[in-house]
Amino acid sequence: MERTIPRSEPAEPQLLQPAPVLGALQVILVDAPFTLNELQALRLRGSLREMLPGAYVSVAHPDNSVTRARVAAAVAGEQLVPGRALCKCTAAWVYGCAPMPRELDIVVPRYHRPCAPTPRMVLRLSEGAMDEDQICTVGGIAVTSPLRTAMDIAFNSELRESLPVLAAINDSARLRCGYREMFEQINAQVRRPGRRRALMAITRLMDTELPAAG
């Protein structure tokens, strides 16, 4: 079951202060306190980097998985409480295997009444079981493992979206999640909805080389 939290009205200007686990990383949002034009000017000068829509960090922080996970957690705010994890294309983006997401995906063990969402991004809560071996910690932030991420994308995304992401996960040596592992995992989930589509995606990728997502 998936629920989408709609955009809310713009909030008062604020500087989003990361939780202690985020260390020295500071995420600056549009109108908090700079306008979009001011932030874009700072980005063009090479001072800031836009990590997520409307969320900027200093270029002193590298664009890597740790920074991406921490920025996503800061934007998600109270929605990413213990027991939840970044998932689907958001997790793939954290791993460097998908483009910048326009929405943040978060998996929850059971649906809870949501807290107030960020006004700048839609947060999608997906209800699902989370075994310990399916969750990784990236920069102190819970993210679904590469294999769990690949499975969620293969089962739930359209082929045109899933193929380049799955190809990128397979091509990443550090993730250690290849087509063979994906195929075996899909084959074992005989009753999961979307299995036929997931098998089609993996078998097509195993037979054809595709460019990976950036």
Side-chain angles (χ1 to χ4, degrees):
M1 178 177 66
E2 185 174 284
R3 306 198 182 191
T4 299
I5 302 173
R7 297 179 186 272
S8 61
E9 294 298 320
E12 291 294 324
Q14 59 177 329
L15 185 63
L16 184 58
Q17 297 291 344
V21 71
L22 304 184
L25 182 68
Q26 186 176 48
V27 180
I28 304 173
L29 301 180
V30 176
D31 296 327
F34 304 107
T35 65
L36 176 60
N37 288 339
E38 290 172 332
L39 289 170
Q40 291 290 355
L42 290 170
R43 180 183 63 81
L44 291 173
R45 290 178 191 172
S47 300
L48 295 180
R49 177 186 295 115
E50 186 176 27
M51 298 297 298
L52 287 172
Y56 297 76
V57 300
S58 167
V59 294
H61 298 285
D63 183 3
N64 58 20
S65 294
V66 170
T67 300
R68 291 183 178 198
R70 291 177 171 181
V71 170
V75 172
E78 294 180 345
Q79 293 288 4
L80 194 61
V81 296
R84 299 181 176 188
L86 300 174
C87 66
K88 296 181 179 178
C89 285
T90 301
W93 168 74
V94 167
Y95 292 129
C97 297
M100 177 196 295
R102 311 307 299 183
E103 303 172 334
L104 287 185
D105 285 298
I106 300 172
V107 62
V108 301
R110 64 185 66 83
Y111 185 74
H112 296 278
R113 185 178 182 85
C115 303
T118 169
R120 296 169 180 85
M121 289 190 74
V122 171
L123 308 181
R124 295 193 302 183
L125 303 183
S126 300
E127 188 174 339
M130 290 184 288
D131 297 332
E132 288 186 5
D133 61 350
Q134 296 179 343
I135 303 298
C136 295
T137 301
V138 181
I141 307 303
V143 183
T144 52
S145 69
L147 182 56
R148 168 66 184 268
T149 299
M151 291 302 95
D152 287 343
I153 291 171
F155 277 92
N156 295 290
S157 299
E158 297 297 329
L159 289 179
R160 62 183 177 82
E161 299 174 347
S162 67
L163 292 179
V165 177
L166 296 173
I169 293 174
N170 171 80
D171 291 342
S172 176
R174 67 186 178 86
L175 296 183
R176 300 180 181 179
C177 179
Y179 293 144
R180 179 57 56 185
E181 289 81 5
M182 298 180 198
F183 181 83
E184 292 175 353
Q185 187 74 6
I186 293 170
N187 235 6
Q189 301 184 51
V190 294
R191 295 184 178 179
R192 182 173 176 178
R195 181 172 180 269
R196 181 178 179 181
R197 176 174 53 194
L199 282 173
M200 183 184 302
I202 295 302
T203 53
R204 182 179 298 185
L205 287 168
M206 294 174 76
D207 294 335
T208 307
E209 290 293 329
L210 288 179

